[in-house]
Amino acid sequence: MSNPFTGSGRQTPGTPNLPTPPSGWPIGSYSTYEEAQRAVDHLADSDFPVQEVTIVGVDLMLVERVTGRLTWSRVLGGGAASGAWFGLFVGLILGLFTPQGSWIGPVLVGLGAGIVFGLVFAAVGYASTRGRRDFSSASQLVAGRYDVLAQPRHAEQARDLLAKLAMRPPPPAQ
């Protein structure tokens, strides 16, 4: 995190961690984060002082990708599974503090209780939506483009290095 009070972009002890806009001159603009990362990696491979570089996501958007339809069976199955893991964990912890040879009882009780509570909480949560959100999804914050900035004293050198990178073919897709 950088410090807005020093102007150097470096954190100093005892100062608050406040968000600050990035500083530097643009040395490249890329449509994907992978391309921006490749550019900075090229600078690092060329012995450029990469601590002077910042990747800035511009035109941010929240992308929610729908992963599937929710049904009672999927909700209850997921609730039982997550409850089972938590119950197993609690049962194992309790089993550590029981007399030798009788650890299986607390593990089974924890597992059973975890499944029951997982089912109940999943059912209550799903029922409370009343069908307004019958799908599962994953959200991701992405940018429309990624600008690479460098401090002014190194910007020209960085542009020259990135121009050489632009002349090379991209690596094969994996």
Side-chain angles (χ1 to χ4, degrees):
M1 191 60 67
S2 62
N3 182 354
F5 304 115
T6 64
S8 68
R10 302 288 173 238
Q11 181 67 31
T12 56
T15 58
N17 290 331
L18 299 174
T20 58
S23 63
W25 290 356
I27 57 172
S29 186
Y30 304 91
S31 58
T32 66
Y33 181 76
E34 185 178 26
E35 292 170 339
Q37 199 174 22
R38 180 174 174 247
V40 175
D41 189 47
H42 175 72
L43 293 173
D45 292 344
S46 302
D47 294 325
F48 183 84
V50 290
Q51 65 274 13
E52 305 272 327
V53 174
T54 306
I55 299 175
V56 180
V58 180
D59 297 330
L60 295 180
M61 56 190 123
L62 179 66
V63 178
E64 183 176 12
R65 290 182 172 77
V66 176
T67 58
R69 177 172 162 61
L70 284 182
T71 61
W72 274 105
S73 59
R74 284 187 76 182
V75 168
L76 294 177
S82 64
W85 279 113
F86 184 70
L88 182 63
F89 173 71
V90 170
L92 287 171
I93 298 294
L94 291 174
L96 291 174
F97 299 106
T98 58
Q100 222 169 5
S102 63
W103 61 271
I104 193 76
V107 169
L108 292 176
V109 169
L111 184 64
I115 290 172
V116 169
F117 279 105
L119 285 169
V120 169
F121 284 119
V124 168
Y126 185 61
S128 69
T129 65
R130 295 188 183 135
R132 286 189 307 266
R133 190 172 168 93
D134 282 341
F135 62 91
S136 58
S137 64
S139 296
Q140 185 179 31
L141 191 63
V142 296
R145 75 173 193 276
Y146 297 88
D147 292 342
V148 179
L149 310 178
Q151 293 304 311
R153 65 181 170 265
H154 297 292
E156 187 175 341
Q157 176 192 4
R159 283 190 196 113
D160 291 343
L161 290 169
L162 292 180
K164 291 176 186 172
L165 174 65
M167 289 187 253
R168 291 189 348 205
Q174 295 182 15

